[in-house]
């Protein structure tokens, strides 16, 4: 189990008999539990965020700097210049995600890339040279982690040391399959901690599972966080998704915490009560 701050309110609260959702969730290492807000149907709202008590941070697919958001670098020079200004400004973020699935233009058939490895390397170089003194950068995350995009990117930019953590997206039906993929990625890229910035029990046969297998999703979620806690090298796990989107996205069709009307699904309460044990 990774070390947490020696100053903690969890023990005094337990001694006093105070029981809160936040207190229970604190049994997971600080910062481990996080969520993704997808952009469909409004994405992040303060109202939605306030219902997800256990999450330390959240992300969505833009550069925003809302409370507890971890910004994501865009795929063009304007985005890079904006990032340079922010990390060198008066209130730089603690972390910044970099390119999101640059190896896959979503929906393209045959598959096209958003950025070729050499393009991405050249694009990020100005940020490498003006990185500021505070923000820690998280490595680009490929959609297909077994392909060569990431190796080629590092080869072109000579910037592997620039990043504080690696990054992966995982969608599998079972926890065992998910663990196998995560372990395989870590075996290849094992000199830094790992962030899992998207995970859910995805890839259902039908586009819209009916009924939604909430029990299976809950078990998957609890087990993956408990396992992540024990690895020591997994530092953050972002559950996808905080909000319901189009159920034809089979990666998140059975894993949303809040429905279209912002009502809690059967998954929200277990998520808020995660103990990682």
């Amino acid at each position: 189990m990774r070390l947490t701050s020696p100053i903690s309110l969890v023990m005094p609260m337990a001694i006093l008999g105070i029981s809160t959702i936040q207190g229970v969730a604190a049994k997971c290492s600080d910062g481990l539990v996080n969520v993704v807000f997808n952009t469909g149907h409004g994405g992040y709202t303060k109202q939605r965020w306030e219902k997800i008590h256990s999450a330390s941070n959240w992300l969505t697919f833009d550069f925003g700097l809302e409370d507890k958001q971890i910004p994501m670098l865009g795929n063009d020079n304007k985005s890079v210049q904006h990032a340079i200004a922010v990390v060198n400004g008066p209130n730089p973020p603690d972390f910044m995600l970099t390119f999101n699935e640059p190896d896959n233009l979503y929906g393209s058939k045959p598959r096209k890339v958003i950025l070729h490895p050499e393009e991405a390397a050249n694009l990020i170089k100005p940020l490498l040279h003006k990185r500021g003194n505070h923000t820690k950068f998280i490595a680009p995350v490929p959609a297909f982690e077994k392909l060569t995009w990431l190796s080629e990117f590092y080869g072109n930019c000579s910037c592997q040391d620039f990043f504080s953590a690696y990054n992966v997206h995982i969608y599998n039906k079972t926890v065992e399959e998910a663990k196998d993929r995560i372990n395989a990625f870590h075996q290849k890229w094992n000199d830094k901690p790992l962030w899992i910035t998207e995970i859910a029990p995805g890839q259902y046969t039908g586009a819209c599972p009916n009924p939604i297998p909430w029990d299976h999703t809950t078990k998957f979620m609890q087990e993956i966080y408990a396992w992540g806690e024990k690895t020591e090298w997994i530092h953050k796990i972002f559950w996808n998704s905080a909000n319901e989107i189009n159920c034809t996205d089979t990666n998140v069709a059975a894993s949303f915490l809040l429905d279209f009307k912002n009502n809690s699904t059967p998954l929200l309460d277990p998520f808020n009560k995660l103990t990682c044990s």
Side-chain angles (χ1 to χ4, degrees), residues 44 58-74 82 86 93 95-97:
Y44 165 85
W58 60 276
L59 66 84
T60 191
F61 303 99
D62 64 32
F63 189 83
L65 294 166
E66 297 284 347
D67 184 44
K68 303 299 181 181
Q69 181 181 8
I70 296 179
M72 179 181 292
L73 182 66
H82 180 52
V86 169
F95 300 101
M96 184 180 296
L97 300 161

Side-chain angles (χ1 to χ4, degrees), residues 236-265:
K236 284 186 178 290
I237 302 175
F238 289 77
W239 185 257
N240 199 10
S241 168
N243 57 302
E244 184 176 9
I245 57 171
N246 191 332
C247 72
T248 57
D249 185 336
T250 58
N251 284 336
V252 295
S255 59
F256 49 94
L257 306 179
L258 298 165
D259 67 16
F260 290 134
K261 297 181 180 180
N262 291 347
N263 294 319
S264 303
T265 71

Side-chain angles (χ1 to χ4, degrees), residues 113-162:
V113 300
I114 297 173
L115 292 169
H116 290 284
E118 185 177 2
E119 291 177 312
N122 290 331
L123 187 59
I124 205 169
K125 282 181 180 177
L127 183 58
L128 303 182
H129 298 301
K130 298 180 180 179
R131 66 186 70 182
N133 297 315
H134 179 80
T135 303
K136 295 179 179 179
F137 297 88
I138 311 305
V141 56
F144 303 99
E145 81 282 358
K146 294 180 181 179
L147 300 183
T148 61
W149 192 97
L150 204 53
S151 297
E152 292 178 34
F153 168 75
Y154 291 137
N156 277 281
C157 72
S158 300
C159 63
Q160 197 166 338
D161 291 341
F162 171 74

